[in-house]
Amino acid sequence: MSQTKGLSGQIQVNLSAVRHNWQQLKKIFSGADCGAVVKADAYGLGYAPVVQALFSEGCRSFFVATIKEALAVRKLLADRARIYVLQGCAEGQEQKFIDHHIAPVIISTAMLTRWCKTDGAKDAPCAVKVDTGMNRLGLTLDEMQEWFSQGERWQGVKPDLILSHIACGDLPDHPLNALQLERFCEISKLAGECFPEIKSSFVNSAALFLGEAWHFDVARPGIAIYGGTEGLPKSADIRAVVTLSLPVLQVREVPAGEWIGYGGSFQAERDMTIAVVMGGYGDGVLRILGNRGSGYYAGHSLPMVGRVSMDSCAFDLTDVPQGERPGAGHYLEVLGSNCSVSEQAAAAETISYELLTRLGGRFEKRYVELT
Ligand SMILES: *Cc1c(COP(=O)(O)O)cnc(C)c1O
């Protein structure tokens, strides 16, 4: 048994795949402006290199969740792109949005009333969100109709975008899709009568594949840019962006009858060889992956065995021929082109979004351009 020091799990972010994925989505999109959602630090991948890569591909509309995220993107891009804050503008923050030319996505009548009363809002960008059936954020259809039928209420404020979010874009057969579309068509028509310049935005990644009727003017894909493929048709040409590699700390022989890890959740039925790697739930290797997830090494899929610890987890090497096994210091792939983020997420009973945004700060992160 050998042990290695000074190793670290490695996250490699392939910016060429980010570019490729965004271009694929743009190609499918029939509207004029394919934007990108870069909230939560670009789904955990690091907003700065991702935003710069997307900007260089021609992306000019960026969506984030908070003003803090927006200010960071604004600093990076200066005045060269539109930035929308999906959670809108909290009371007292109005001036910050106006000063930095950041558009709040207004999600309630209270927020809208406040915004319209703000000095300087008349000439500032803003978007409004209408809830068409998800019942999460946005003005109700009735509220929105009321505002659009009373132009004077806006006090000179001119929203440049009306948007709504689709709840079931990844479930093409769900009846809510058609219902949301019908409602959004109606309300965006009304919006256009009130504000002839206003654009409409409806689709996220999965909803782009529902068909052109859903597209409207501005698309807001997120996860597919980052390699998540949940709900996408098999034909979608989406590449893996993130490779997570964990270094082997120790290879051990486990005699039949012995248990592996906390709680003795795995008992060896035969003599086994396992690799204990650096990386555990403290790093975002979700605990539920214990005895369910898998890794990959040189053509071999390696089942996870035992529970995931805070800093380590274990993989079964028993079925890998002797000469082909990794040793201490070698890296196992846990996410990547051989271990897709969506499959690993499914093994963890979650979605790629959660897996990616949880990847921890102890890993070394490298940005590469691999075509
Ligand atoms: C996160 C988010 C998106 C992006 O969705 P994906 O499924 O990641 O493509 C789009 N619109 C809104 C309002 C969001 O919150």
Side-chain angles (χ1 to χ4, degrees):
M1 280 179 223
S2 56
Q3 194 148 19
T4 309
K5 290 208 177 94
L7 296 168
S8 161
Q10 303 210 332
I11 296 176
Q12 182 178 279
V13 178
N14 185 0
L15 295 173
S16 289
V18 166
R19 298 170 196 279
H20 167 88
N21 292 344
W22 186 77
Q23 287 292 354
Q24 290 301 311
L25 299 168
K26 183 169 178 258
K27 207 157 84 184
I28 289 160
F29 184 49
S30 60
D33 181 5
C34 186
V37 180
V38 295
K39 63 193 180 192
D41 202 21
Y43 289 43
L45 307 194
Y47 77 93
V50 167
V51 165
Q52 257 151 356
L54 292 171
F55 182 83
S56 75
E57 294 298 307
C59 182
R60 293 296 180 268
S61 295
F62 292 89
F63 295 84
V64 294
T66 67
I67 181 69
K68 196 172 163 206
E69 294 172 350
L71 290 171
V73 175
R74 177 57 81 218
K75 202 164 172 189
L76 203 62
L77 296 180
D79 276 330
R80 297 175 297 167
R82 291 169 292 281
I83 302 172
Y84 296 93
V85 173
L86 291 167
Q87 296 189 344
C89 175
E91 188 160 11
Q93 300 280 299
E94 288 82 3
Q95 203 54 47
K96 227 181 247 177
F97 281 80
I98 293 169
D99 288 348
H100 297 276
H101 219 67
I102 289 164
V105 174
I106 291 171
I107 54 168
S108 69
T109 53
M111 195 184 278
L112 185 52
T113 304
R114 224 167 44 228
W115 182 258
C116 291
K117 280 191 195 141
T118 304
D119 284 339
K122 261 202 331 273
D123 306 308
C126 83
V128 286
K129 186 168 187 180
V130 58
D131 192 297
T132 50
M134 185 169 185
N135 287 295
R136 190 177 65 171
L137 297 172
L139 279 75
T140 65
L141 286 166
D142 287 348
E143 289 168 342
M144 202 78 260
Q145 259 157 9
E146 213 175 303
W147 276 79
F148 286 135
S149 57
Q150 301 173 30
E152 68 286 355
R153 274 192 171 206
W154 297 81
Q155 306 189 47
V157 164
K158 287 183 286 299
D160 52 68
L161 192 67
I162 176 168
L163 63 87
S164 191
H165 196 47
I166 298 177
C168 305
D170 56 340
L171 304 167
D173 299 327
H174 199 291
L176 187 52
N177 288 321
L179 182 61
Q180 283 199 270
L181 176 60
E182 189 189 316
R183 290 170 172 173
F184 192 60
C185 279
E186 213 169 291
I187 200 76
S188 60
K189 188 162 159 259
L190 211 56
E193 286 163 13
C194 193
F195 299 104
E197 312 273 292
I198 201 167
K199 302 276 192 285
S200 301
S201 175
F202 200 31
V203 289
N204 65 342
S205 301
L208 262 169
F209 295 85
L210 292 177
E212 290 189 4
W214 272 264
H215 286 185
F216 296 87
D217 306 305
V218 182
R220 310 187 308 273
I223 194 67
I225 300 172
Y226 310 112
T229 53
E230 284 98 338
L232 268 50
K234 290 260 179 300
S235 60
D237 179 10
I238 294 299
R239 293 191 190 149
V241 170
V242 175
T243 305
L244 172 62
S245 309
L246 302 180
V248 177
L249 289 166
Q250 198 174 50
V251 173
R252 1 182 11 112
E253 306 302 326
V254 179
E258 290 285 313
W259 287 273
I260 296 170
Y262 280 117
S265 67
F266 186 97
Q267 186 173 26
E269 288 178 355
R270 52 176 175 163
D271 290 346
M272 293 178 69
T273 305
I274 64 168
V276 180
V277 308
M278 182 187 264
Y281 61 79
D283 304 292
V285 179
L286 302 182
R287 193 167 170 278
I288 193 176
L289 285 169
N291 295 315
R292 299 179 186 218
S294 61
Y296 175 91
Y297 182 80
H300 301 283
S301 178
L302 312 172
M304 268 194 185
V305 283
R307 287 197 187 150
V308 175
S309 297
M310 188 184 292
D311 315 304
S312 67
C313 56
F315 294 85
D316 185 6
L317 307 180
T318 314
D319 291 331
V320 180
Q322 282 287 351
E324 298 171 31
R325 288 179 183 171
H330 292 159
Y331 283 79
L332 308 189
E333 180 182 317
V334 178
L335 296 176
S337 47
N338 301 295
C339 260
S340 89
V341 62
S342 299
E343 278 166 22
Q344 197 74 281
E349 291 186 12
T350 183
I351 50 179
S352 52
Y353 307 64
E354 187 182 17
L355 213 55
L356 289 180
T357 52
R358 290 240 204 150
L359 291 179
R362 288 195 290 189
F363 294 140
E364 263 171 31
K365 206 180 269 173
R366 284 192 308 137
Y367 295 91
V368 296
E369 299 268 1
L370 299 171
T371 47

